[in-house]
Amino acid sequence: MYRTRTCGELRVSDVGDTVILAGWVQKLRKMGGMTFVDLRDRYGITQLVFNEEDNAQLCEKANGLGREYVIQVKGTVNERYNKNPKLPTGEIEIIVSELTLLNASEVPPFTIEENTDGGDDLRMKYRYLDLRRSNVRANLELRHRFCLAVRHFLDSKGFLEVETPVLVGSTPEGARDFIVPSRMNPGQFYALPQSPQTLKQLLMVAGMDRYFQIVKCFRDEDLRADRQPEFTQIDCEMSFVEQDDIINTFEEMTKYLFREVRGYDLGEAPFLRLSWHEAMKRFGSDKPDMRFGMEFVELMDILKGTGEFAVFNEAAYIGGICAKGCANYTRKQLDELTNFVKSPQIGAKGLVYARVQEDGIVKSSVDRFYSPEVLNLLKDTMQAEAGDLILIISGDNAMKARKQLCELRLLMGERLGLRDKNKFALLWVVDFPMFEWSDEEQRLMAMHHPFTAPKPCDVSKLDTDPASVLADAYDMVCNGVEVGGGSIRIHDAVLQAKIFEVLGFTPERAQEQFGFLMNAFKFGAPPHGGLAYGLDRWVSLFAGLDSIRDCIAFPKNNSGRDVMLDAPSVVDQKQLDELQLLIAPKS
């Protein structure tokens, strides 16, 4: 037997016991005739003691150990004289009587400790070493507990876990597909699923009633902190439901997960609901961070045409936020904010500010263009007080300007310490537009996906004013992160055909792409709807991470590469020949 106990479980109550431990050498310290070794496994760290006076040969053998050597020891549990309150096992140590080297190790490329000296690229290259670090391992343990809690809750509500295929057909809407060539069907391709959307709808047609799956999804899109090419969804679907049924079910599930996994009580009150239009107007985002206020105030009536500042007089939108207690910002700090909003990522033309001094007088960067009366009206409209800083962005496109102001709001919230990772604010965003215009495609596109049902009261507008149609859709937002979204689905083949028509599909193309679904609807499809949670995003929020990478065992980097496996990579010409594929030379 390699071990009788683990390195994280021994306590004072075990003093006197003879135990066998196995693990990795975390650290080795020599003090006179004593050698101390910290032995680590997945469960914790235990201090080993070798005494030269008791067994010089054994102590010499211990002195030859290096970091990350794999060893087995036998010894007696002893109460420590100098206890370490930072370790769960800090009250005991093992007086070693036997030592077996199981495997030596090269010097690791970075220190395997919580505060490592390894950069992101190096840690990702040696991810199997990075996963030995206790804080990274804790993220995977949290993910495990989260998945168990999800399965427990959904099982208690009558959901059935069903696996769906990974090799599916390509769909034209949404992000780009990852394409897989078929050797047995030359010239034809599978796609990896962006989500099991049509498959879970077919499960509802099949009478499964309540389905869920913790499932891998794949999207070939630009990456960021909360995106990976492959990610995991908690995918759910229910029959004979309306929007409130789904929202109530998954609100209950969310409160359960916070309580059971995070130890955080969200209370009994229902989550806030905001319409998409209201969220965009008040916060410039369909995933607003509600941990703090700093709500937008529209200032067109106050600043357009009431002074000689041409930028405002020509604007289609003027909006501001009030940063409490920031009137003492230096010129350098204000320049930093200006450079931030003018950066290519944000794209604003500039930033106007107004300080409310201690005497209540407003001093602004556009003082010379406006009278004191207008500036005082600005202060009153913003509900600004002495010591506050008003920040204003304008633009010739209202939607774009609001999004720029949103980024500024988030930055100020961060600077003022208002985005506490141990505080959680959740809401539902509802009543999304059904369609959005694509300049690239020169047509309406589905804002969510083409199977989302329109609001029943808007169905008649599909012929006359499709751009104004609202979707029976909903997103759950936590701390400014979209953690889940879904909709009531179309279950009528005639309405589904109409949506495809609005999206520019010919009947022939709609039949080619989605005929299997439309045909299924002819055989008694029930009303149904669902929701998909982003598992990686939930776990990263629970763990207080800025990126989802550290709660995924083997993630990709920002270029979509797995630097550990060196993937994607070139394949043999023989494989290309079997697939009847030619690689075109770069133009």
Side-chain angles (χ1 to χ4, degrees), residues 408-427:
L408 180 62
R409 173 183 178 265
L410 294 176
L411 176 66
M412 294 306 297
E414 194 73 48
R415 288 192 170 192
L416 293 171
L418 302 175
R419 304 182 72 188
D420 184 353
K421 291 180 180 178
N422 292 310
K423 179 181 177 183
F424 298 94
L426 290 101
L427 74 151

Side-chain angles (χ1 to χ4, degrees), residues 346-362:
I346 310 300
K349 293 182 179 178
L351 179 67
V352 171
Y353 66 87
R355 310 174 193 264
V356 183
Q357 300 180 144
E358 292 303 321
D359 57 8
I361 295 175
V362 181

Side-chain angles (χ1 to χ4, degrees), residues 67 429 494:
R67 280 180 178 262
V429 177
V494 175

Side-chain angles (χ1 to χ4, degrees), residues 53-201:
E53 290 185 3
D54 294 340
N55 191 328
Q57 186 177 2
L58 185 64
C59 193
E60 183 181 355
K61 188 175 181 181
N63 289 336
L65 299 174
R67 280 180 178 262
E68 301 308 309
Y69 277 40
V70 186
I71 63 172
Q72 178 194 53
V73 296
K74 183 177 183 179
T76 304
V77 182
N78 182 57
E79 185 171 0
R80 285 176 64 164
Y81 176 73
N82 292 318
K83 295 180 172 59
N84 183 353
K86 296 180 180 179
L87 284 179
T89 59
E91 293 186 324
I92 60 95
E93 60 192 7
I94 306 298
I95 307 301
V96 178
S97 58
E98 296 179 20
L99 166 64
T100 303
L101 176 64
L102 300 176
N103 212 334
S105 171
E106 295 183 5
V107 176
F110 53 86
T111 55
I112 300 176
E113 297 175 359
E114 282 199 23
N115 297 315
T116 182
D117 55 0
D120 281 352
D121 289 343
L122 187 63
R123 291 191 300 108
M124 290 305 105
K125 182 176 180 180
Y126 296 95
R127 182 62 167 172
Y128 48 87
L129 297 180
D130 193 42
L131 289 172
R132 293 182 187 174
R133 295 167 57 220
S134 60
N135 50 337
V136 180
R137 184 179 65 248
N139 295 333
L140 296 187
E141 291 171 349
L142 173 64
R143 186 186 181 106
H144 166 72
R145 295 196 305 275
F146 191 95
C147 290
L148 286 180
V150 166
R151 286 189 163 97
H152 180 268
F153 178 87
L154 291 175
D155 178 64
S156 74
K157 298 296 180 182
F159 283 79
L160 188 67
E161 185 168 12
V162 182
E163 284 188 278
T164 54
V166 173
L167 296 175
V168 297
S170 180
T171 56
E173 300 289 311
R176 292 183 182 89
D177 287 326
F178 283 100
I179 300 300
V180 181
S182 170
R183 178 186 60 81
M184 292 182 288
N185 302 276
Q188 296 184 314
F189 300 83
Y190 300 106
L192 302 182
Q194 296 186 30
S195 79
Q197 181 59 53
T198 55
L199 294 163
K200 64 185 177 184
Q201 290 189 255

Side-chain angles (χ1 to χ4, degrees), residues 245-295:
D245 299 310
I246 294 173
I247 284 179
N248 292 337
T249 297
F250 290 99
E251 211 168 280
E252 182 185 353
M253 175 173 163
T254 301
K255 291 177 179 179
Y256 172 82
L257 293 171
F258 267 93
R259 187 172 61 251
E260 295 296 317
V261 181
R262 187 60 171 73
Y264 190 96
D265 188 0
L266 291 173
E268 296 302 319
F271 297 166
L272 173 70
R273 295 191 199 184
L274 287 181
S275 72
W276 180 86
H277 285 94
E278 186 179 4
M280 296 304 296
K281 181 178 180 180
R282 292 170 56 186
F283 302 101
S285 171
D286 58 6
K287 47 182 185 295
D289 189 339
M290 303 298 284
R291 284 173 291 181
F292 64 102
M294 223 180 292
E295 191 170 322

Side-chain angles (χ1 to χ4, degrees), residues 310-327:
V311 172
F312 285 171
N313 291 339
E314 297 169 3
Y317 174 84
I318 309 170
I321 56 174
C322 183
K324 294 292 181 182
C326 294

